[in-house]
Amino acid sequence: AAEDWPPFITATMAHDGESGNFIGTVLERAGYALQVDYFPWKRTMQLGLTSPRYAGFMAVWRTAEREKLCHFSSPIGNTLTVLAYLKEAPLRAGTLAELKDTRIGTVSGYFNGEQFDAMVRRGELRTDEGVSDIVNLKKLLSRRFSVIVIEKHVLRQLMLGPDFSKADRERVGLAENFFSERSVHICFKRNAEGQAQQKMFNAAARAAARARREGENGTHNGR
């Protein structure tokens, strides 16, 4: 189960996006085929954790809380969370603490980093949860949000899609200095079957990486 989250996991790109292509290649090496069904994020988590139809859900950031629910795969992509704002209303803050009086759009159920989420729990940041990144982007452009939290590559991919114009793209700025890079993973169910699937996937991913390195060395030596 997955949320449509281009360019990582998406039905709008070949082979289910960049991470989808990687996962499909790894599973094929292990003798399996990837099938992805798409839902809103909260539904994705619910089905991935409870439905016998699914091995788990993706793409997910690793947290201490989710360790209780998931057997995490090795990384399937690297992400950078940013703050998006309108250039006509520039972001003046240099730290998260300076955003205390700013209404910030987030996606319901997303993990936005330990520092950010802890500040939200303590009431030090004001957030308004939306159902998806694309909804939050539309709210930003209509000035219902001053700032939204979004992954950098997702922002760029969505802005190039049919829901937004060139004029929309030119209005949006981003600030990259508030969050650190994080990897995303598959969350396999935290049971014996999920652990076996995790081990299978990770072993196939290591074998694929090893074969790629050997191929690159062979090409280099051939020159």
Side-chain angles (χ1 to χ4, degrees):
E3 181 191 37
D4 200 276
W5 202 50
F8 298 100
I9 300 290
T10 176
T12 64
M13 295 173 66
H15 309 294
D16 291 289
E18 295 174 4
S19 294
N21 184 46
F22 169 73
I23 295 163
T25 300
V26 169
L27 289 176
E28 185 177 4
R29 171 177 284 272
Y32 294 87
L34 173 66
Q35 179 181 335
V36 184
D37 293 338
Y38 292 93
F39 308 93
W41 182 243
K42 282 201 166 182
R43 183 70 172 152
T44 292
M45 291 191 292
Q46 178 189 16
L47 288 171
L49 291 172
T50 63
S51 171
R53 178 177 173 84
Y54 299 102
F57 67 97
M58 58 185 180
V60 60
W61 289 301
R62 195 166 186 162
T63 70
E65 182 179 352
R66 289 172 178 168
E67 291 282 358
K68 303 170 187 175
L69 304 173
C70 305
H71 287 299
F72 284 106
S73 73
S74 52
I76 60 170
N78 287 309
T79 67
L80 178 63
T81 300
V82 298
L83 296 179
Y85 59 90
L86 295 180
K87 292 177 182 176
E88 66 239 39
L91 183 65
R92 305 295 184 189
T95 65
L96 289 176
E98 293 174 4
L99 292 168
K100 61 183 178 64
D101 296 321
T102 302
R103 188 168 171 236
I104 306 168
T106 61
V107 176
S108 179
Y110 276 19
F111 169 70
N112 293 308
E114 293 177 0
Q115 181 186 10
F116 184 95
D117 287 355
M119 292 176 73
V120 172
R121 288 193 297 271
R122 293 194 298 265
E124 297 168 8
L125 292 174
R126 296 168 49 209
T127 60
D128 195 338
E129 294 188 337
V131 296
S132 68
D133 286 313
I134 197 166
V135 168
N136 283 357
L137 269 172
K138 290 178 178 179
K139 288 183 177 181
L140 177 70
L141 288 161
S142 64
R143 303 188 71 122
R144 291 172 63 187
F145 289 145
S146 301
V147 177
I148 64 171
V149 180
I150 189 168
E151 203 282 327
K152 180 180 178 180
H153 303 89
V154 172
L155 169 64
R156 289 180 173 171
Q157 193 72 26
L158 289 176
M159 294 301 293
L160 290 170
D163 292 280
F164 303 101
S165 66
K166 183 174 182 289
D168 291 332
R169 292 195 293 272
E170 291 174 349
R171 291 179 64 200
V172 177
L174 59 88
E176 300 185 22
N177 59 310
F178 290 87
F179 300 89
S180 300
E181 274 196 336
R182 293 176 288 165
S183 58
V184 283
H185 308 259
I186 303 168
C187 168
F188 292 105
K189 291 188 181 75
R190 196 162 184 84
N191 55 27
E193 183 181 13
Q195 186 173 36
Q197 290 166 336
Q198 174 217 39
K199 289 180 177 178
M200 172 274 295
F201 180 88
N202 289 354
R206 287 193 298 271
R210 186 165 56 249
R212 185 170 60 251
R213 287 194 301 271
E214 290 171 354
E216 290 170 354
N217 290 338
T219 301
H220 177 73
N221 293 336
R223 290 175 184 166

